[in-house]
Amino acid sequence: MEKQPLTSKNPRRILVGFSAIIFAFLSLAAWGFSSPMGSSPDDNFHLASVWCGDGVREGICEATDDPAVLSVPKLVYESPGCFAYHAENSAGCQNLDLASTGYARSDVYDFNNSDHLYPPVFYAATSAMVSQDPVLSIWSVRLFNAGIAVLLYAVLFWILPRNIKHLPVWAITATAVPLSMFIIPSNNPSSWAVTGAGLLLFSLIGYYKSTGTQRIQLAIMALIATVMMAGARADAAIYAGITLVSAMIIAATKQDLAIKKLWLPIVITITSLAFFFSANQVGLASAGLDGAADPTLTTATLIFRNLAMMPLLWLGVFGTTGLGWLDTVMPETAWISSVAGFIILVVFGINRLAKRTWIAGVLVLAALWLIPTYILVKSHATVGVLVQPRYMLPLIVVLAGITIYRRAGTRSGKLPLFVSGLGIVLLAVANSLSLHRNIKRYVTGVDVTGWNLDEQVEWWWNLPISPLGMWILGSVAFAGFLVSLYLLSPIMRFGISEEVKTAKV
């Protein structure tokens, strides 16, 4: 009997699709539980901003005698204070007894988003999940951010034209380990910036490649992605504009540039600019960031050094820079495996890009080089301080998506089974090693050696699963997700031309 193809009506394909969704959520959830409250970068600021994102609420965000100053539970604001920048300290130093009551308040402070440093959407949305139980609130926000990422990419997979529907998932997956895996299921607004990047690029490409109801659906997805990016971070609003231009270069036709068809790019541009100028991050970036400045360096020296060193900043996405407060250093095998997996799954296809795709890729690459260089020069600093890899991660996801998208060429662009399989194995290994290190850092501190995460435990959530069990769950789930995704959309098919009408993607 002839083997049944994995079409959208095939029950096997539906089962594999649901498996991919479940595995993706479990792997992100494992990362969400792998670190304590206050573990993402600048979390004292971001958590306070989440708690006060919906304004004054009793037991959550309370007013003080000073109308400009707010107060949140003590544990929320002070949670990272005892372990941040001290990797030898486990999260056991936190006083979790404070989580049992909403009445133990922090000292009065004004370190939150009340002065509109960031756009308000991320904080307002996640604040809706905050209760008077800080620990339960942290879990709710992290699982929400993990769930919304998985759900939106699943919906995009469903509504995209079938010859490109698998590409956005591969784009974000190839760049995921370890930074995206850590930041997406976190309380940090960078979560939405990263999630929205791949969504926006491919919903726009699909928009220009479709008609009718499908086109409307993709337009709605593009608007959702824009609000996620621009409503989370001011720099992500600029990235949304760059992504829009890149997608139009790749996929828009002359007919799409007619006035009556420009409504979506215009709405995205206006939305991005509105959020960009509503945030005070703009003024900080233009004036330069505080800290780690070297006034002895000339402007010419700063420009030369930063342009030459910029790839080191990008490599931080794959684990060369520590996670959390930049103090959780990844094992060498982890980041080498992550970089190698990225190269296999993404970079191998560069020589088969169409001219328009090349132009879009160069645009994004230039932005990755010039934007952080400008900020660092204004700050009198060099690569390694002030500008973190997570700031540039959304653009790296977009660049990966552009590289994966290959209109030119024929079936000769496909990867051999061994090569694509090696890429999957490398990403699975990188994820497992990175997750183990992240859990270890907070459970015992890095001063305690040994592979068994259940030994000498100094901190862990009140969960029915142990640290070791969480590591196994996250490792197996991510590997299962990669295999499921491959069955849905083999990497071997990346190189199939859009013009090959018989291709079943």
Side-chain angles (χ1 to χ4, degrees):
M1 180 180 295
E2 185 177 353
K3 187 176 179 180
Q4 186 180 15
L6 286 175
T7 63
S8 58
K9 296 181 180 180
N10 184 349
R12 287 176 54 210
R13 183 178 176 87
I14 295 174
L15 178 61
V16 173
F18 276 113
S19 298
I21 291 172
I22 294 170
F23 283 138
F25 179 75
L26 289 177
S27 58
L28 286 173
W31 272 94
F33 285 115
S34 70
S35 59
M37 180 185 303
S39 57
S40 69
D42 303 318
D43 236 0
N44 48 353
F45 175 90
H46 295 303
L47 289 180
S49 301
V50 168
W51 255 246
C52 295
D54 281 340
V56 174
R57 289 185 290 169
E58 183 178 356
I60 296 173
C61 177
E62 297 185 349
T64 68
D65 295 336
D66 185 345
V69 177
L70 302 172
S71 180
V72 298
K74 191 177 183 70
L75 178 64
V76 172
Y77 180 63
E78 299 183 2
S79 56
C82 64
F83 60 76
Y85 305 118
H86 297 283
E88 72 279 3
N89 291 348
S90 73
C93 60
Q94 290 180 328
N95 183 6
L96 291 180
D97 290 339
L98 294 175
S100 63
T101 175
Y103 302 105
R105 311 302 300 175
S106 69
D107 295 335
V108 174
Y109 73 98
D110 56 1
F111 192 58
N112 62 72
N113 201 46
S114 57
D115 61 350
H116 307 293
L117 182 63
Y118 286 74
V121 178
F122 175 85
Y123 296 130
T126 52
S127 183
M129 283 159 280
V130 173
S131 67
Q132 294 192 14
D133 185 335
V135 172
L136 182 59
S137 300
I138 291 292
W139 293 355
S140 299
V141 173
R142 292 184 182 182
L143 292 177
F144 171 77
N145 287 336
I148 197 171
V150 173
L151 175 62
L152 289 176
Y153 273 90
V155 171
L156 184 60
F157 183 93
W158 180 261
I159 64 178
L160 273 174
R162 68 174 185 171
N163 58 341
I164 62 171
K165 64 170 60 258
H166 56 299
L167 299 186
V169 187
W170 278 117
I172 196 168
T173 300
T175 56
V177 183
L179 187 54
S180 289
M181 297 300 293
F182 176 84
I183 211 70
I184 289 176
S186 74
N187 311 98
N188 195 294
S190 293
S191 169
W192 281 19
V194 175
T195 296
L199 292 173
L200 181 58
L201 175 67
F202 283 100
S203 58
L204 284 169
I205 290 175
Y207 170 82
Y208 288 117
K209 294 296 180 183
S210 59
T211 58
T213 302
Q214 186 181 44
R215 190 178 176 103
I216 295 173
Q217 293 171 338
L218 288 165
I220 294 172
M221 180 63 75
L223 293 174
I224 292 173
T226 300
V227 172
M228 287 186 70
M229 294 180 70
R233 295 184 57 93
D235 53 2
I238 295 297
Y239 302 158
I242 295 171
T243 305
L244 168 64
V245 173
S246 300
M248 293 182 71
I249 291 173
I250 291 172
T253 64
K254 290 182 180 180
Q255 290 74 22
D256 292 319
L257 300 180
I259 297 299
K260 64 180 181 179
K261 292 189 176 182
L262 285 175
W263 71 269
L264 181 59
I266 291 173
V267 171
I268 289 175
T269 301
I270 293 174
T271 301
S272 300
L273 289 175
F275 281 120
F276 178 74
F277 287 111
S278 72
N280 290 329
Q281 280 179 308
V282 179
L284 289 177
S286 60
L289 304 176
D290 294 330
D294 187 350
T296 65
L297 298 177
T298 66
T299 299
T301 300
L302 286 167
I303 293 174
F304 177 79
R305 286 191 181 181
N306 283 304
L307 289 175
M309 297 170 61
M310 194 53 61
L312 293 177
L313 179 66
W314 308 337
L315 283 174
V317 167
F318 303 100
T320 59
T321 301
L323 297 182
W325 292 77
L326 309 184
D327 56 10
T328 307
V329 179
M330 295 293 101
E332 286 76 6
T333 303
W335 67 259
I336 290 173
S337 297
S338 184
V339 171
F342 171 82
I343 290 173
I344 288 174
L345 299 181
V346 175
V347 179
F348 276 179
I350 286 180
N351 65 331
R352 299 182 179 91
L353 296 182
K355 181 179 178 180
R356 294 175 69 176
T357 313
W358 263 111
I359 295 172
V362 170
L363 170 66
V364 175
L365 187 62
L368 278 167
W369 231 304
L370 297 178
I371 292 175
T373 295
Y374 171 80
I375 296 173
L376 287 167
V377 170
K378 294 292 291 186
S379 306
H380 268 271
T382 55
V383 170
V385 296
L386 298 182
V387 178
Q388 299 178 26
R390 65 186 171 94
Y391 302 163
M392 310 312 300
L393 179 54
L395 279 184
I396 291 177
V397 173
V398 172
L399 183 62
I402 291 171
T403 307
I404 287 175
Y405 181 80
R406 302 169 191 165
R407 288 180 55 200
T410 62
R411 295 175 185 272
S412 61
K414 59 186 179 182
L415 294 176
L417 176 61
F418 170 76
V419 175
S420 55
L422 178 60
I424 288 175
V425 169
L426 286 169
L427 285 183
V429 169
N431 178 76
S432 183
L433 292 175
S434 300
L435 180 59
H436 186 280
R437 175 61 60 86
N438 201 58
I439 295 175
K440 182 72 173 177
R441 182 259 181 269
Y442 295 107
V443 168
T444 64
V446 297
D447 56 330
V448 177
T449 59
W451 69 272
N452 190 345
L453 297 172
D454 288 346
E455 290 183 351
Q456 305 183 52
V457 174
E458 299 173 15
W459 165 85
W460 188 240
W461 303 107
N462 183 20
L463 291 171
I465 184 172
S466 70
L468 182 63
M470 188 66 72
W471 171 60
I472 294 172
L473 173 65
S475 299
V476 173
F478 189 73
F481 166 70
L482 291 173
V483 172
S484 299
L485 183 56
Y486 180 82
L487 293 176
L488 283 172
S489 51
I491 304 172
M492 292 169 61
R493 297 177 184 172
F494 273 6
I496 294 181
S497 169
E498 226 180 299
E499 287 74 29
V500 179
K501 302 301 183 183
T502 58
K504 295 181 180 179
V505 180

